[in-house]
Amino acid sequence: MRFILRPIFINTALLALFLASASASAASFDYLYVEASEGNSSGGHSAIQFGDEIYHYQHHDSGLIRLLRQDKQEFHFLYRFLQNRRIHLSHIEVSEDTFNLLNEHFKLQFLAQDQQFKQLNNLYKDNVLLRRLLHKPDSDDEILDTDFSTALRLNGVGLFYAEQELDNPKKDLHNKNINGLRFQSSLIIETLRKKIDQSYGQDYLPHRHEQITMHIKTLAPAHWPIAGPMLSKDNFPPAIYSFADSYEDYLTGLAAIKVLMEAQPLQPDAFFVTHESVTPGEKKILGQLRDQMTLSLLKSVTTGRPDWGYAVLVNIARIIAIDLSLQLGEWVFIDDFAMDSEWISADQFAHYAEQMQTQVNDAQANLTQTRKALLNNEGLTESNYSKLEMSANRYFELLNGKQHKAIRYLGEKALPTKSISLPNWLVPELTQQKLTLALSELDNYETKLLQELAEQYGYNLITRNCVTELFRTIDLALLQQNKVDIEQSKQFELLTEESTNRLGGYISATYNFIPFVSFQSVQDHYNVTKIEELNSYRDQQLEKLYTRNNGLIKVLLESNTFTSTSYNYNTDDSFFIFFTDDNLLLRPVFGLFNTAAGIGQSVFGLLSWPFDTGESLKSGTTGVLMSLPELLFFNIRKGSYKYLSYTQFIVNRNKVVLKAK
């Protein structure tokens, strides 16, 4: 028996080891082709997906092309639903080692480029600040004033101070606090200040105030060296804590201390009362969270992190909201919408009433579910409270739309960012000579950085676009496997060999700059095991309609924008009559009607120019441009759906049409 079992045992073990090894080495990533449509990437778009993360390049107004990273669901919602585009996927089978190699390289490239553009933004902010200090606040330069007020902001300070309020002497708070809730918020802050005094002494806040004031007065611009290449071999620029960031952080910290010392109440628009009752169970949890956040506040005021002032301001605001919720027995929340949130008018809300009602219902369901989750947990963390705050902001903002008001449609933030422009309250004591020298140094650095960025990321419709850069990034990942410097003449040979071994073949970026052409090349050269076509939103809606009624009348009704039940015209789309994306044979005929409609809209636009600032003319002209390709059987425009619910997308996300290779 022993001699029989031994070979069986060995064979079984070897088989298990082989299967485990095969499983461990097998992996795949996806190459995505997004069909053409009006708007961004009108000629189509390409992306690459590793797990739940999608990387794709996009052209920006700066003339540069940037690598973006998005969650898979977010990407599909944007393109398949909001932009109504079909997405084609090629599943490419690779080894685990190749998957990790490509995934890590794309991730590194994204982080490196993100850091580079952050530095460019910091340079711009430093430039604006130095020019402002050099020319003084009383300058009549409107452009300089506009740049200053938009580029340099004190996040969180707007929760307690209005614009220019920090520049003015402190007013009598008893005269200001006409609103009872604002007066109550002032009392809550006094209580918090007393706790700080008990923990660190009554002179702690005044002493910290003096320290920061001295730091601001002696603050000097950072040095920006320009010797050698500014973008390193790994494409990471040096990390520099910029002059503007330092100044903003110091002023924000000073404002936080001022709020505590003067018991400055919340601004009237910094919070809202929901009139939704707080249950006994929720009161208990809120009380515990208030105590936790108070302890967190006591730690935050002594921390050495640069942005401690912003953290303190948000903490104070939320403690006030929680305390008021407990006192009133009704939920009170801080307004967490960004200052640059997207607004929609009351007329828009009414025009898309059905879609907006769906948004309201989804937001209400999300808020209810989030509140229930609080009671199911042993305790409420600041992170969970942030989710609740965002849910409440979205729901009650949408409710305002039903009251025929303009509303903020997008812009909720995990942390409230209500800001004000930099005050003239306190400025660094720098001579004109120092400011001029620093500005010259910075201009030289910024110019060189822009030149290097343009060399690496300058957009070109043919040679450097969303498709070519994907393949070039793959090439870079494969080349970096060879640690020895390679001669230029041998790079192509090495790339071809490496790509063939790892991916099944080689694809040149030079000859694959068109999205749908590149998708075919991937199928021809890479180890593609499966191809999928993911339906657009309108595809899914038509599929449902035709399942119930596939008669000719229904098809005709859905073929045009006037009688369609699956599409509601929105102003982001150019004017057109017939859909042509799902009708190849009649596409040129429908294209003639669409072209004629665009011409008619353009003529009307010329006449109505003084009344609509050229919007009708723009819509008509774009309509003609989008319709002309239809005469040659090519479709671009598909119609978009601006106000669809994300919940609808989640429900329909698995509705795909599979095609065999």
Side-chain angles (χ1 to χ4, degrees):
M1 177 69 70
R2 190 172 68 184
F3 294 100
I4 297 174
L5 285 177
R6 185 179 178 187
I8 295 177
F9 173 79
I10 293 174
N11 290 339
T12 304
L14 289 173
L15 179 61
L17 183 63
F18 172 80
L19 291 175
S21 175
S23 175
S25 63
S28 66
F29 66 92
D30 296 331
Y31 186 85
L32 284 65
Y33 160 53
V34 183
E35 291 188 3
S37 185
E38 186 177 351
N40 291 333
S41 307
S42 57
H45 194 47
S46 296
I48 194 165
Q49 178 177 327
F50 301 99
D52 290 334
E53 291 183 337
I54 291 180
Y55 294 90
H56 59 116
Y57 284 89
Q58 277 196 350
H59 175 217
H60 284 249
D61 294 337
S62 61
L64 303 176
I65 189 167
R66 292 192 58 177
L67 179 61
L68 304 180
R69 180 175 65 185
Q70 285 184 276
D71 174 74
K72 177 178 69 174
Q73 303 294 4
E74 178 188 341
F75 183 90
H76 284 251
F77 178 62
L78 171 63
Y79 285 100
R80 288 177 57 203
F81 263 48
L82 299 185
Q83 296 188 17
N84 192 37
R85 298 166 147 194
R86 300 184 189 99
I87 295 181
H88 303 261
L89 282 79
S90 286
H91 296 278
I92 303 163
E93 185 175 295
V94 294
S95 67
E96 192 76 26
D97 176 60
T98 298
F99 177 90
N100 291 334
L101 167 68
L102 295 177
N103 185 24
E104 290 302 316
H105 187 78
F106 270 89
K107 185 180 298 183
L108 179 64
Q109 287 293 101
F110 167 76
L111 294 174
Q113 197 184 80
D114 187 57
Q115 177 68 17
Q116 292 162 8
F117 280 92
K118 281 180 180 177
Q119 186 181 96
L120 189 62
N121 183 62
N122 285 339
L123 287 167
Y124 169 69
K125 288 171 60 178
D126 270 14
N127 195 307
V128 171
L129 177 56
L130 287 170
R131 291 183 187 279
R132 175 68 175 222
L133 294 174
L134 189 60
H135 297 291
K136 306 299 181 186
D138 56 356
S139 171
D140 294 329
D141 191 336
E142 293 184 5
I143 296 178
L144 179 60
D145 289 341
T146 301
D147 287 346
F148 182 78
S149 61
T150 56
L152 301 167
R153 311 283 300 181
L154 300 184
N155 285 335
V157 179
L159 296 169
F160 297 91
Y161 294 98
E163 291 283 354
Q164 309 304 321
E165 194 171 2
L166 278 174
D167 292 325
N168 301 321
K170 176 179 174 292
K171 298 179 181 179
D172 187 354
L173 289 176
H174 294 288
N175 293 331
K176 285 181 64 179
N177 289 322
I178 301 172
N179 185 310
L181 292 182
R182 292 194 72 206
F183 179 71
Q184 196 64 31
S185 75
S186 183
L187 294 178
I188 296 169
I189 295 174
E190 287 182 0
T191 302
L192 293 174
R193 190 195 68 239
K194 290 177 182 177
K195 290 182 179 294
I196 294 173
D197 291 345
Q198 291 171 0
S199 299
Y200 307 113
Q202 293 185 356
D203 62 341
Y204 177 77
L205 290 177
H207 180 64
R208 191 84 190 269
H209 186 282
E210 290 178 7
Q211 280 184 323
I212 297 174
T213 300
M214 185 58 62
H215 284 312
I216 291 176
K217 289 181 178 180
T218 58
L219 186 62
H223 289 288
W224 298 92
I226 60 173
M230 295 166 62
L231 301 183
S232 68
K233 189 174 181 180
D234 294 327
N235 292 326
F236 276 99
I240 297 178
Y241 186 36
S242 72
F243 180 53
D245 281 345
S246 301
Y247 186 44
E248 286 176 333
D249 286 339
Y250 279 137
L251 283 179
T252 303
L254 212 55
I257 292 175
K258 188 177 175 69
V259 167
L260 288 165
M261 292 177 64
E262 299 178 356
Q264 175 72 20
L266 285 169
Q267 287 292 304
D269 61 350
F271 67 99
F272 59 97
V273 183
T274 67
H275 304 301
E276 292 275 339
S277 298
V278 183
T279 67
E282 290 171 337
K283 285 184 177 180
K284 180 181 178 182
I285 293 175
L286 281 180
Q288 295 171 348
L289 179 62
R290 179 186 56 187
D291 295 340
Q292 293 173 15
M293 293 182 72
T294 301
L295 291 174
S296 177
L297 174 67
L298 293 175
K299 294 178 181 178
S300 295
V301 294
T302 62
T303 184
R305 53 185 285 185
D307 62 343
W308 69 272
Y310 173 52
V312 166
L313 290 169
V314 171
N315 216 336
I316 294 172
R318 283 178 167 173
I319 291 173
I320 292 172
I322 292 171
D323 210 301
L324 290 177
S325 297
L326 293 171
Q327 293 182 41
L328 297 175
E330 297 177 340
W331 281 99
V332 178
F333 290 101
I334 299 301
D335 185 315
D336 69 2
F337 275 88
M339 301 292 286
D340 59 351
S341 296
E342 178 184 339
W343 286 74
I344 62 174
S345 66
D347 290 340
Q348 285 177 294
F349 193 98
H351 183 69
Y352 300 100
E354 184 177 348
Q355 293 180 15
M356 298 313 299
Q357 184 58 52
T358 301
Q359 297 272 10
V360 172
N361 294 341
D362 290 345
Q364 183 180 32
N366 183 50
L367 178 58
T368 301
Q369 183 179 0
T370 307
R371 285 181 63 180
K372 287 181 179 178
L374 301 182
L375 298 175
N376 295 333
N377 296 328
E378 295 182 358
L380 178 62
T381 64
E382 290 186 48
S383 176
N384 290 334
Y385 180 79
S386 178
K387 295 176 182 177
L388 176 66
E389 186 179 70
M390 291 178 67
S391 298
N393 269 266
R394 178 153 186 81
Y395 173 59
F396 288 101
E397 186 71 13
L398 287 170
L399 278 188
N400 287 334
K402 302 189 71 173
Q403 305 301 318
H404 307 291
K405 299 177 182 177
I407 64 167
R408 295 165 294 181
Y409 178 63
L410 294 175
E412 313 97 282
K413 296 291 185 180
L415 290 174
T417 58
K418 198 171 186 65
S419 63
I420 63 171
S421 58
L422 262 63
N424 301 319
W425 180 25
L426 189 63
V427 297
E429 297 178 347
L430 294 166
T431 64
Q432 282 210 337
Q433 182 181 3
K434 288 183 178 180
L435 290 170
T436 303
L437 180 62
L439 191 57
S440 175
E441 205 176 88
L442 183 141
D443 283 341
N444 291 335
Y445 188 93
E446 187 175 15
T447 299
K448 186 172 181 182
L449 179 60
L450 279 170
Q451 288 174 348
E452 292 193 21
L453 288 173
E455 289 172 4
Q456 293 199 28
Y457 309 123
Y459 174 79
N460 183 284
L461 181 62
I462 305 299
T463 61
R464 186 177 278 162
N465 62 24
C466 68
V467 186
T468 63
E469 296 316 286
L470 285 177
F471 292 118
R472 285 203 178 96
T473 305
I474 291 174
D475 288 351
L476 286 173
L478 298 178
L479 279 175
Q480 285 189 1
Q481 288 307 287
N482 194 315
K483 303 300 181 182
V484 182
D485 290 338
I486 308 163
E487 294 180 15
Q488 191 73 26
S489 59
K490 295 183 178 180
Q491 280 193 5
F492 178 75
E493 181 182 342
L494 176 64
L495 271 176
T496 303
E497 181 182 351
E498 193 75 13
S499 183
T500 301
N501 291 337
R502 290 180 176 273
L503 303 172
Y506 175 70
I507 297 177
S508 170
T510 305
Y511 306 109
N512 289 273
F513 55 88
I514 302 174
F516 74 86
V517 172
S518 72
F519 186 71
Q520 185 61 52
S521 293
V522 166
Q523 296 175 50
D524 294 339
H525 296 91
Y526 286 172
N527 295 323
V528 175
T529 57
K530 185 172 63 173
I531 302 169
E532 293 185 54
E533 182 182 299
L534 279 64
N535 287 344
S536 65
Y537 175 75
R538 183 168 175 270
D539 286 337
Q540 295 179 19
Q541 297 307 107
L542 291 179
E543 185 179 333
K544 293 177 184 177
L545 289 171
Y546 294 159
T547 299
R548 296 193 295 266
N549 182 0
N550 197 21
L552 179 60
I553 300 298
K554 193 65 179 175
V555 173
L556 291 175
L557 289 174
E558 294 301 324
S559 68
N560 68 89
T561 59
F562 296 119
T563 59
S564 174
T565 60
S566 62
Y567 173 79
N568 195 0
Y569 176 75
N570 76 78
T571 53
D572 285 352
D573 297 334
S574 60
F575 184 68
F576 70 106
I577 297 176
F578 288 103
F579 294 98
T580 65
D581 59 312
D582 56 349
N583 201 321
L584 178 61
L585 293 178
L586 292 177
R587 189 171 292 168
V589 178
F590 286 170
L592 280 173
F593 282 96
N594 288 339
T595 303
I599 293 172
Q601 179 77 352
S602 299
V603 173
F604 173 77
L606 284 172
L607 300 175
S608 62
W609 182 298
F611 308 102
D612 65 359
T613 63
E615 287 298 319
S616 295
L617 178 61
K618 178 183 176 183
S619 177
T621 304
T622 307
V624 174
L625 293 174
M626 293 295 106
S627 301
L628 289 176
E630 295 169 346
L631 304 179
L632 301 175
F633 292 92
F634 187 75
N635 167 262
I636 294 180
R637 175 186 46 221
K638 295 170 175 60
S640 61
Y641 296 83
K642 189 172 183 178
Y643 301 113
L644 287 179
S645 162
Y646 186 74
T647 303
Q648 284 181 283
F649 166 70
I650 297 299
V651 171
N652 292 276
R653 63 184 172 181
N654 294 322
K655 294 184 180 297
V656 298
V657 178
L658 300 181
K659 291 184 178 181
K661 182 179 178 183

